[in-house]
C-alpha cells in the first residue's frame, strides 16, 4: 500500500485535507473531488464524528481515504479500524508512527525543522509533511532537499492554486490542498458541484 500511495501522489501531485464543522455526506464529497481529479482525501479529527463519516464512505468510494490530525495511538487505532488507508499527524508523533507500523499502513508525520524531518523519516514517515508550509515558503522546501536528497516532502498549510506549482518545482512529492478546494462552508452546504470545480481548477494550476 505504501508504494501504491506514493505512486498515486506522485501522479496526481495533490491530496485534499478536509476540515469542516459539518460533513453531510463524505462519500459524495469524495466523488466530487475525484471528478475534479483529486483521488486522495484526508478527513481530520477536527471534524465532529469523523470516524462515522469515514466508516460509511470507506467501503463505497474508490478514493484513497485517510485521517489526519491524529495525535494519539488510540485515535490511530480507531481510524484504521474505521477504514483509514493512511494516517497524518501534525507533529513527529512516535506513538502514532508505531501504531501505523503495527497495522502496516502509511503515515505522514508532521515536521518543520531539519531535526524534526530527520526524526520523522527515521520513524518511517512515508513522506514528511512540512507544516506549516506557509511559514517559510517553497524556498525552504528546496533547502531541506540539500541535506535530505530524495526524501519525499509534502507541504501543508497555506498551499493554494496560486503557489502550488512553486512547491512542486521546489521538489515536493505532492501538495496538500485545503480550504481553497474544500471551504468549510461549502462542504457543510453539500455544494458538490462547486467542489468539483474547485478541485479541477487546483489540478489545472499544477501545470
Amino acid at each position: 500500500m505504501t508504494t501504491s500511495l506514493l505512486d498515486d501522489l506522485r501522479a496526481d501531485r495533490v491530496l485534499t485535507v478536509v476540515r469542516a464543522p459539518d460533513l453531510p455526506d463524505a462519500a459524495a464529497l469524495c466523488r466530487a473531488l475525484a471528478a475534479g481529479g483529486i483521488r486522495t482525501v484526508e478527513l481530520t479529527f477536527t471534524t465532529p464524528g469523523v470516524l462515522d463519516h469515514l466508516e460509511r464512505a470507506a467501503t463505497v468510494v474508490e478514493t484513497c481515504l485517510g485521517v489526519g490530525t491524529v495525535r494519539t495511538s488510540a485515535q490511530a487505532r480507531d481510524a484504521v479500524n474505521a477504514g483509514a488507508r493512511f494516517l497524518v499527524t501534525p507533529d513527529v508523533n512516535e506513538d502514532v508512527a508505531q501504531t501505523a507500523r503495527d497495522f502496516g499502513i502509511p503515515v505522514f508525520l508532521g515536521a518543520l525543522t531539519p531535526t524534526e524531518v530527520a526524526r520523522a523519516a527515521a520513524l518511517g514517515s512515508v513522506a514528511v509533511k512540512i507544516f506549516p508550509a506557509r511559514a517559510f515558503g517553497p524556498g525552504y522546501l528546496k533547502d531541506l532537499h540539500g541535506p535530505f536528497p530524495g526524501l519525499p516532502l509534502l507541504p501543508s498549510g497555506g498551499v493554494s492554486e496560486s503557489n502550488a506549482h512553486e512547491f512542486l518545482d521546489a521538489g515536493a512529492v505532492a501538495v496538500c490542498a485545503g480550504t481553497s478546494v474544500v471551504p468549510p462552508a461549502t462542504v457543510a452546504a453539500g455544494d458538490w458541484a462547486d467542489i468539483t470545480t474547485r478541485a479541477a481548477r487546483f489540478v489545472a494550476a499544477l501545470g
Side-chain angles (χ1 to χ4, degrees), residues 41-176:
V41 179
E42 174 194 334
L43 304 182
T44 66
F45 269 102
T46 56
T47 296
V50 66
L51 295 178
D52 292 333
H53 295 306
L54 174 63
E55 193 165 14
R56 286 194 295 270
T59 58
V60 298
V61 296
E62 296 182 4
T63 298
C64 184
L65 195 53
V67 175
T69 321
V70 184
R71 301 188 64 192
T72 68
S73 57
Q75 285 181 330
R77 287 193 302 272
D78 289 344
V80 175
N81 289 332
R85 295 175 58 189
F86 63 91
L87 303 173
V88 186
T89 70
D91 59 351
V92 182
N93 193 306
E94 297 186 19
D95 291 338
V96 174
Q98 181 61 57
T99 302
R101 288 195 297 271
D102 291 344
F103 279 96
I105 72 164
V107 63
F108 301 123
L109 299 175
L112 184 60
T113 68
T115 299
E116 292 170 347
V117 169
R119 183 60 180 153
L123 289 171
S125 189
V126 173
V128 180
K129 185 181 82 168
I130 303 303
F131 175 81
R134 81 178 79 210
F136 295 97
Y140 182 63
L141 214 69
K142 185 175 182 179
D143 290 342
L144 284 175
H145 274 301
F148 302 108
L151 181 64
L153 301 178
L154 182 66
S156 178
V159 181
S160 67
E161 58 264 26
S162 66
N163 63 14
H165 68 283
E166 297 177 30
F167 283 102
L168 293 171
D169 290 344
V173 66
V175 296
C176 294

Side-chain angles (χ1 to χ4, degrees), residues 4-54:
S4 175
L5 178 57
L6 267 181
D7 287 345
D8 287 347
L9 283 178
R10 286 192 174 101
D12 294 351
R13 298 176 294 170
V14 58
L15 67 84
T16 297
V17 182
V18 182
R19 297 185 186 278
D22 184 39
L23 180 52
D25 190 335
L29 171 62
C30 289
R31 293 187 184 103
L33 289 165
I38 298 179
R39 301 183 296 163
T40 306
V41 179
E42 174 194 334
L43 304 182
T44 66
F45 269 102
T46 56
T47 296
V50 66
L51 295 178
D52 292 333
H53 295 306
L54 174 63

